[in-house]
Amino acid sequence: MLPVDAFVRDLVHRLRFFRSLDPLPADGRLFARPGSKVAFGVQLRDYLHQVCHTLGLSTRIVPHQFRHSYATEMLRSGVSFPVLMKLLGHVNPEMTMRYVDVTLIDLQREFQLPRSKPRHLAPQPKTSSPPLRAGLDGLIDSLLATQHLMMIFRRSLANGNAHTRLHRLSKILAETRKLQTN
């Protein structure tokens, strides 16, 4: 089973319709095979050569190139590498890599994507901004905000120092609050 988009689905329906008009007996295949699988491959190759000649293309296209194009387009559209291996029926990544054409544009896109959305940066803390208070109340607000930030970033501080500094700050905060009640 191979997933396809609406365009390919419509194309297959059309091919089935035209196949029903074919004078060769129905064998369940999309294309009529007057002889063997090899004869069909030769016919398809000749047809592609005629198309290239008619279009004035100097390149010779063979049917197997469609498999390579399919692999490259699937990878570019976001299909993961293990899934692509499965779709192509490969058991080792080296074989799949032979089918994929990685261009400079692909490399640039893959390089820029993680740089545009870095996941390694810690989210910035969201602080509410109540009206600033003056005097002792303002000092207590500042100490509470500092304590909160130190709690958030304590893991990034040196192990022994973080707990000691937080403990000291808690003592200062408690002593400052005592001044408020006097």
Side-chain angles (χ1 to χ4, degrees), residues 109-124:
R109 183 189 67 244
E110 291 296 318
F111 177 75
Q112 293 298 334
L113 183 64
R115 294 183 74 219
S116 67
K117 299 176 186 174
R119 289 187 254 166
H120 65 282
L121 297 178
Q124 296 299 315

Side-chain angles (χ1 to χ4, degrees), residues 19-83:
R19 179 68 170 100
S20 69
L21 303 175
D22 199 299
L24 292 172
D27 57 1
R29 301 186 186 275
L30 230 69
F31 300 106
R33 286 189 182 175
S36 67
K37 181 179 177 182
V38 174
F40 175 70
V42 170
Q43 271 185 328
L44 188 56
R45 189 170 294 178
D46 288 343
Y47 175 72
L48 288 172
H49 180 67
Q50 289 171 9
V51 169
C52 288
H53 181 72
T54 304
L55 294 174
L57 298 175
S58 60
T59 326
R60 188 171 173 97
I61 298 176
V62 295
H64 193 74
Q65 283 173 287
F66 292 129
R67 188 169 164 84
H68 290 262
S69 298
Y70 172 78
T72 301
E73 288 306 312
M74 287 293 101
L75 199 62
R76 284 183 184 150
S77 65
V79 172
S80 69
F81 196 79
V83 170

Side-chain angles (χ1 to χ4, degrees), residues 96-168:
T96 305
M97 283 304 295
R98 290 182 192 171
Y99 279 77
V100 176
D101 181 28
V102 179
T103 65
L104 182 59
I105 293 170
D106 298 325
L107 292 173
Q108 288 171 340
R109 183 189 67 244
E110 291 296 318
F111 177 75
Q112 293 298 334
L113 183 64
R115 294 183 74 219
S116 67
K117 299 176 186 174
R119 289 187 254 166
H120 65 282
L121 297 178
Q124 296 299 315
K126 294 185 168 99
T127 57
S128 59
S129 53
L132 295 176
R133 299 190 299 176
L136 196 54
D137 291 334
L139 179 61
I140 292 172
D141 291 345
S142 296
L143 289 171
L144 285 169
T146 305
Q147 183 182 33
H148 177 72
L149 288 172
M150 284 184 72
M151 290 294 289
I152 290 174
F153 293 108
R154 71 180 179 271
R155 289 193 178 116
S156 64
L157 299 172
N159 290 342
N161 294 335
H163 295 301
T164 305
R165 289 179 182 158
L166 278 169
H167 185 68
R168 283 183 194 158

